[in-house]
Amino acid sequence: MWFTRVCADPPGRMPQETKRRVRDATRRWVRAVVARRLAVPGEALRWERDDEGKPFVVTGGRIVHLSYSHSDGVAGLALSEAAPVGMDVERVRERTHLEALAHGCLSADEFAQWRRRPERTGPEGFCRLWTRKEAVLKAWGSGVPALLDQVGTALGPYAARAHGGTPVRIARLPPELGPAADWTVYDVPAPRGHLAAVAVHAAGARLRLARTPPSTTEHDHTERSSPDVAHR
């Protein structure tokens, strides 16, 4: 998994033109990282979408699933050759009517946990739960808002670590997504002020972090892989 800063503008509301530039810059960055990671020229990659509209890349007989996200100028990318993957990155920020928003998109158990844990109540706790939900639904191939409260995880200690982590406990999934045991979700380290999560539609997907020196476009580089992904 990779992160980069695609916009130097301060966080907050962006003009439409800036949003367009961020989207375009994110797509260029994603294509460059995928080509570099797979060690093939960009023109050798065939970009496709499945029936759910989820992107994947084909090269030399290999199918690589991918998911990317951006929030307030920070972009993230996740790749998996083993199974569909979804990722989400969000800036932690104050929200108007946060409790009403949480009540509408958290599961009943999540909302109860969020309310009774003062140290985790607030924007950060909400953002952590939100990124997990988004990651799962992106891996499945649907961002249907009506399903957000049907994806439930335990609001335990923050699981992201600089050198590894443990999967998040999945408490509930919509029936369409199958058993929770067939999924793996991680909190992952993200640039300062942001939280991120990655979900793989595979049981027992493992987390491994690999650090590379920062470059002009890549501020923080971490790698997540599942059991049958080729490692460096």
Side-chain angles (χ1 to χ4, degrees):
M1 189 166 177
W2 295 260
F3 291 100
T4 192
R5 187 166 293 281
V6 293
C7 177
D9 289 356
R13 292 187 177 276
M14 294 181 181
Q16 287 301 318
E17 177 60 22
T18 302
K19 290 181 179 179
R20 184 190 63 78
R21 292 202 312 269
V22 168
R23 287 194 299 268
D24 291 346
T26 299
R27 293 189 185 106
R28 290 195 300 272
W29 172 73
V30 165
R31 288 176 177 271
V33 172
V34 171
R36 186 168 67 248
R37 178 67 180 89
L38 300 181
V40 298
E43 59 271 18
L45 297 174
R46 193 172 85 243
W47 296 77
E48 305 282 355
R49 288 187 178 273
D50 62 19
D51 293 341
E52 300 292 339
K54 197 169 160 38
F56 63 93
V57 175
V58 180
T59 177
R62 298 163 69 188
I63 297 178
V64 181
H65 305 275
L66 67 106
S67 179
Y68 62 90
S69 174
H70 61 82
S71 175
D72 279 332
V74 168
L77 166 67
L79 302 178
S80 171
E81 291 188 63
V85 61
M87 74 83 55
D88 189 53
V89 59
E90 298 286 343
R91 184 173 71 88
V92 180
R93 61 182 182 273
E94 295 291 338
R95 297 172 184 263
T96 304
H97 308 304
L98 178 60
E99 185 161 332
L101 179 61
H103 188 269
C105 67
L106 300 184
S107 70
D109 287 344
E110 285 176 325
F111 187 72
Q113 292 178 63
W114 185 74
R115 286 289 304 276
R116 69 171 176 260
R117 303 294 292 271
E119 74 280 13
R120 294 178 190 141
T121 299
E124 184 170 338
F126 173 80
C127 188
R128 192 186 317 161
L129 293 169
W130 177 275
T131 56
R132 296 170 182 175
K133 294 170 182 288
E134 285 282 323
V136 169
L137 292 176
K138 288 178 179 179
W140 182 47
S142 171
V144 180
L147 296 180
L148 283 170
D149 65 343
Q150 297 182 45
V151 176
T153 60
L155 187 60
Y158 186 46
R161 297 289 182 269
H163 300 288
T166 55
V168 170
R169 185 173 68 83
I170 304 172
R172 179 187 183 191
L173 288 176
E176 301 95 314
L177 274 66
D182 291 345
W183 289 82
T184 310
V185 177
Y186 286 102
D187 294 325
V188 296
R192 185 187 300 272
H194 290 69
L195 293 178
V198 63
V200 182
H201 196 173
R206 295 173 299 166
L207 170 67
R208 189 185 73 170
L209 307 183
R211 292 291 180 184
T212 61
S215 69
T216 55
T217 58
E218 212 167 311
H219 292 245
D220 184 8
H221 172 176
T222 57
E223 184 176 295
R224 307 288 178 278
S225 47
S226 43
D228 53 349
V229 172
H231 300 298
R232 285 196 248 192

